[in-house]
Amino acid sequence: MHVCVLGSSSAGNCTVIWEEHRALLVDCGFSQRYISRHLRPLGLTLREVEGVVITHAHADHVLPQTLVGFLALRIPVHAPPSILQVLAEQCRDVRKVQGTPLLRSMRTVSTEIGPFLVNAFPVPHDAPGGCFAYAVHLDSLTGSAKATIATDLGYVPDGLAAHCANSHVLVVESNHDPVMLAASSRPDWLKDRIRTIGHLSNEQSGKLVRDILAASSFYPEAVMLAHVSKDCNTNARAVESMALALRDHGAEGVRVLETHRHEPNEAVSCFRTMNS
Ligand SMILES: [Zn+2]
Ligand SMILES: [Zn+2]
């Protein structure tokens, strides 16, 4: 199983997880053309996308025109019922496919999408319909792999670290540097929103990853730092902060990878844990 963040920031988010020629997208906050163009070098096309999972109904995670394009290609859209309801209220083309297999409500703990099993976990964020972190599992005779994606959360809720434990790849947001945020020209209400119900700082992200490692029986191959703020952070600061957190935990061997606003990051393959 492989993971690549095709792009991540407040300007758009989309991650692809794939195994051979079966792919799953988490979020579709870019144009269909952008997603399609960046799937190609990975050896994938939209025809091989077996579903798209939506974390929440903010436009940087779900662009209505992309969603409508995916529905036209008969790519099923998966999300908890509260999010599907919001998407249907916002978009006539989504309303039209309500009650059809193209809109799939994630009501159960585990949802099967192609070869993957996806588990949703609610996280605190100011999006209508709520916001969810997803753990994507692939189990086969040769072993199992897990990738977890947690972006857009104001703070780390109880239980999230356990939900993310034993992942081969972690995609976590490392949104802002608190000093840069305080010094930025953003209005006070926006600074407060980011700190309380918006996004994790570099330090909060480091603590989350340390807690995930403490709950895990092995270390991940890589931690990918997502949703890095353009004005209130830099990739270098985010990477340095995460590297420090990993060193504190004795896990300096774990790779820390940047993500980018408008280009894919380095794809990582999950080396599977053998089934016992
Ligand atoms: Zn976002
Ligand atoms: Zn958001």
Side-chain angles (χ1 to χ4, degrees):
M1 187 170 94
H2 318 276
V3 181
C4 180
V5 177
L6 298 183
S8 179
S9 77
S10 55
N13 291 273
C14 181
T15 297
V16 59
I17 297 173
W18 76 104
E19 168 74 0
E20 294 178 350
H21 283 276
R22 307 183 77 183
L24 165 72
L25 297 180
V26 178
D27 286 333
C28 56
F30 291 103
S31 68
Q32 184 177 315
R33 195 181 160 157
Y34 176 97
I35 294 169
S36 194
R37 177 156 58 92
H38 290 299
L39 285 177
R40 221 172 296 137
L42 304 173
L44 297 167
T45 66
L46 283 175
R47 233 172 286 135
E48 287 144 333
V49 173
E50 304 210 6
V52 54
V53 182
I54 306 296
T55 60
H56 64 295
H58 279 160
D60 56 323
H61 295 261
V62 50
L63 264 191
Q65 60 269 39
T66 304
L67 196 65
V68 170
F70 283 179
L71 291 171
L73 292 173
R74 310 203 66 73
I75 297 172
V77 175
H78 300 256
S82 55
I83 292 179
L84 290 185
Q85 188 54 42
V86 172
L87 295 176
E89 282 162 16
Q90 289 173 350
C91 181
R92 194 165 50 97
D93 288 309
V94 174
R95 274 200 300 283
K96 276 197 226 157
V97 295
Q98 268 182 315
T100 77
L102 283 176
L103 274 196
R104 311 240 178 126
S105 231
M106 300 172 78
R107 290 176 192 280
T108 51
V109 181
S110 283
T111 303
E112 247 185 86
I113 305 175
F116 309 104
L117 262 188
V118 182
N119 294 343
F121 189 89
V123 295
H125 187 58
D126 55 353
C131 184
F132 293 80
Y134 292 112
V136 179
H137 302 259
L138 179 73
D139 282 312
S140 69
L141 289 174
T142 53
S144 38
K146 175 179 176 182
T148 309
I149 296 174
T151 69
D152 295 52
L153 50 161
Y155 57 92
V156 175
D158 287 348
L160 180 62
H163 181 73
C164 301
N166 295 324
S167 291
H168 297 82
V169 172
L170 290 169
V171 181
V172 292
E173 77 168 346
S174 193
N175 177 256
H176 58 276
D177 174 294
V179 177
M180 286 178 78
L181 177 62
S184 73
S185 59
R186 299 189 168 188
D188 285 344
W189 67 263
L190 183 53
K191 291 180 184 174
D192 281 345
R193 180 237 157 203
I194 291 168
R195 291 181 188 121
T196 55
I197 199 66
H199 297 282
L200 294 185
S201 68
N202 294 341
E203 286 74 9
Q204 287 173 305
S205 177
K207 182 174 183 319
L208 169 61
V209 169
R210 279 204 310 271
D211 290 347
I212 293 169
L213 296 193
S216 299
S217 55
F218 59 87
Y219 288 159
E221 319 288 338
V223 177
M224 298 181 176
L225 302 179
H227 226 299
V228 172
S229 168
K230 181 160 72 93
D231 303 322
C232 303
N233 206 359
T234 63
N235 266 350
R237 275 180 191 240
V239 168
E240 190 188 331
S241 174
M242 184 58 69
L244 269 177
L246 289 169
R247 208 174 308 144
D248 280 354
H249 196 85
E252 52 271 15
V254 175
R255 299 178 68 204
V256 180
L257 296 181
E258 299 176 5
T259 65
H260 309 288
R261 291 172 73 78
H262 294 294
E263 60 178 290
N265 76 341
E266 181 186 337
V268 170
S269 301
C270 303
F271 294 103
R272 297 171 187 194
T273 314
M274 291 307 292
N275 295 322
S276 50

